[in-house]
Amino acid sequence: MADGTQNGIPQRVLALRSMFSKNRTHRELDERFRYLLDRRRTELEAGVIAEARCIALIGASGSGKTTAAEHLFASQPDLVLHDPHGPRLDVASFQVPSPATLKFVGQTVLETLGFELKRDKSAQIIWSMAKGHLEARRTLFLHIDEAQDLMRHQTPRELNAVVSTLKSLLQHKSWPVGLILTGTAELKTLINHDPQLARRVYPIEFARLNILLDSDRILNAITRYADAAGIAVSADILNPEIAARLANAADREFGLMIEMIIASLEDAMKASAEGLSRAHFTSMFRKRTGCVDGLNVFIADDFERIDVRRLLDDGEDT
Ligand SMILES: Nc1ncnc2c1ncn2[C@@H]1O[C@H](COP(=O)(O)OP(=O)(O)O)[C@@H](O)[C@H]1O
Ligand SMILES: [Mg+2]
């Protein structure tokens, strides 16, 4: 069988992609979320209505925000998720639509809750309906992904309206809803736009990889994923230099680093290689960015000077 060695590669890669790696950001997020969830449940049991709170998870694209939020909700044993038509939806999650007008965002909240608007309505009516549906479904948290887009192209007046809508969810008289906002650094501008909102927000910044301090963790991640893939790791890989090059290749973002380890392992599988070697990282980076060798982080001597973000973004566009 000529293609016998190719067998099962997509499945093996899928298995690697479904692994979840934890870092300190995930632990902090989990702790904070658990705290707010327990607090809210205690209040509900006691019949107390108190203001809800907001967690803002901030990181660059590829840091792992969307994955972290999905895993956070899915890993809680006692939450009802992904059930748009059931009686209860503990966490409703959506990505900010485009254009991010207050009206369209409100409509997206309604859709997330399984309600379809039949007729055009004003933003004010839509949001009042959304709040009613959040209460009817007993939704404890609303997760808004790419939340920085809420402020894109907004006039100062529209921005004020967005901020007061978010506050009004937290402060609702009969059914306050907690917020989990995930987004890029611009999200901080949105939050700080209003001190009343800012003081209700617990910010968590996605830790970027530190080339020196995280060296062992990076090498451990390579070993863990290679083990899971059933591929040996060549001796020329497990050293701080490769860790530094990989961190740099991933623009020091955790999620991108994992993505690149998996893609390099996939290359090794396709080549039926004996083990994962530096050449697989080199070809992975070349494929991902389309760059010449002089700009390849796994080849160039002065790899720290390469503007990786530009290469990655350009590579994705093509
Ligand atoms: N904790 C994690 N464990 C394994 N892979 C991860 C983890 N976090 C992110 N990734 C991977 O990193 C990539 C980017 O993650 P994503 O959540 O889309 O980032 P963001 O939303 O910050 O742009 C995805 O391919 C994802 O599978
Ligand atoms: Mg995302």
Side-chain angles (χ1 to χ4, degrees), residues 16 21 217-226 229 246 250 254-269 276 280-281 284 288 298:
L16 297 180
S21 307
R217 284 192 198 95
I218 295 169
L219 298 178
N220 281 339
I222 297 176
T223 314
R224 202 170 56 249
Y225 277 84
L246 177 57
F254 182 80
L256 284 177
M257 172 193 71
I258 304 277
E259 219 175 74
M260 289 182 169
I261 293 175
I262 295 174
S264 304
L265 284 163
E266 187 177 2
D267 264 15
M269 289 178 204
L276 178 70
H280 300 122
F281 284 95
M284 172 282 296
R288 171 116 195 191
F298 293 94

Side-chain angles (χ1 to χ4, degrees), residues 61-62 64-67 95 145-146 182:
S61 93
K65 304 175 295 294
T66 306
T67 310
Q95 187 180 325
D145 199 13
E146 302 288 358
T182 45

Side-chain angles (χ1 to χ4, degrees), residues 103 107 117-122 126:
K103 186 168 157 173
Q107 212 171 308
L117 263 187
K118 296 274 188 316
R119 252 180 247 134
D120 191 38
K121 299 214 160 48
S122 72
I126 289 175

Side-chain angles (χ1 to χ4, degrees), residues 246-296:
L246 177 57
N248 221 74
D251 197 26
R252 296 202 277 127
E253 298 302 344
F254 182 80
L256 284 177
M257 172 193 71
I258 304 277
E259 219 175 74
M260 289 182 169
I261 293 175
I262 295 174
S264 304
L265 284 163
E266 187 177 2
D267 264 15
M269 289 178 204
K270 285 184 177 153
S272 309
E274 292 264 303
L276 178 70
S277 70
R278 181 164 169 165
H280 300 122
F281 284 95
T282 310
S283 66
M284 172 282 296
F285 194 77
R286 187 182 295 126
K287 275 187 212 150
R288 171 116 195 191
T289 63
C291 72
V292 296
D293 285 356
L295 291 176
N296 192 315

